Amino acid sequence: MPNHFKALFNRGFAYDKIGEFNKAIEDYSMAISIDPNNAYTYYNKGISLDRKGDYNEAIKCFSKAISIEPSKADFYHNRGFAYRKKREFDNAIKDYEQAIKIDPNHFKAYYNRAFCWDKLGKYEQSENDYESAVKL
């Protein structure tokens, strides 16, 4: 069994790309045991968990990534997307807002926040965010 962080991280990435989410999650978990302070390992593990449909665990991983590196817009965006899939639109909007605050050109954050506003019946906010997304 490999115990080299980079090998585990990269193999986890490869497993995720071919849809082997459990193997990816296992490799990311082993990589975390070697380097528990690498935010991208938690982030990528969260992506694999999300793609597997385990949104609660994905949110935990994205939250851990955010606690290590709070200045990454994609970390907030992906956590927001997991909340969106759980239909927790208010939580998703908060994360999309943070992603946009960090990166005002984050197209996906505007687009996905617009979707959430729409689901909450806040059509003016939804229209504004769709307009912002189109302009980007």
Side-chain angles (χ1 to χ4, degrees):
M1 179 174 312
N3 63 358
H4 186 267
F5 172 83
K6 197 166 197 170
L8 289 164
F9 183 94
N10 289 337
R11 189 173 71 178
F13 188 83
Y15 278 141
D16 181 86
K17 292 302 169 203
I18 62 171
E20 294 282 350
F21 305 124
N22 288 331
K23 289 180 179 179
I25 292 162
E26 185 178 323
D27 276 356
Y28 289 134
S29 295
M30 286 190 288
I32 287 167
S33 72
I34 295 168
D35 182 0
N37 296 311
N38 186 299
Y40 285 95
T41 311
Y42 291 99
Y43 174 69
N44 282 10
K45 182 178 177 183
I47 290 171
S48 294
L49 286 160
D50 182 272
R51 289 169 45 115
K52 181 183 167 187
D54 191 344
Y55 306 126
N56 290 328
E57 288 302 311
I59 288 166
K60 289 179 188 175
C61 283
F62 294 137
S63 295
K64 182 64 177 177
I66 289 166
S67 75
I68 296 169
E69 287 197 42
S71 63
K72 302 294 183 193
D74 283 343
F75 292 2
Y76 292 94
H77 173 265
N78 280 49
R79 186 174 70 179
F81 202 62
Y83 280 128
R84 176 187 149 175
K85 290 175 182 176
K86 291 181 62 178
R87 303 188 61 79
E88 293 183 23
F89 300 120
D90 289 324
N91 285 330
I93 287 168
K94 288 176 190 171
D95 276 346
Y96 296 141
E97 286 173 351
Q98 188 61 34
I100 291 165
K101 182 177 177 183
I102 294 167
D103 178 4
N105 294 315
H106 202 292
F107 161 82
K108 288 181 182 180
Y110 284 104
Y111 177 84
N112 287 310
R113 188 172 70 176
F115 178 92
C116 293
W117 286 130
D118 181 73
K119 291 296 182 185
L120 293 173
K122 298 188 176 184
Y123 304 118
E124 187 173 331
Q125 290 98 320
S126 179
E127 181 184 357
N128 288 340
D129 276 352
Y130 280 129
E131 283 292 324
S132 294
V134 168
K135 290 177 184 174
L136 294 174

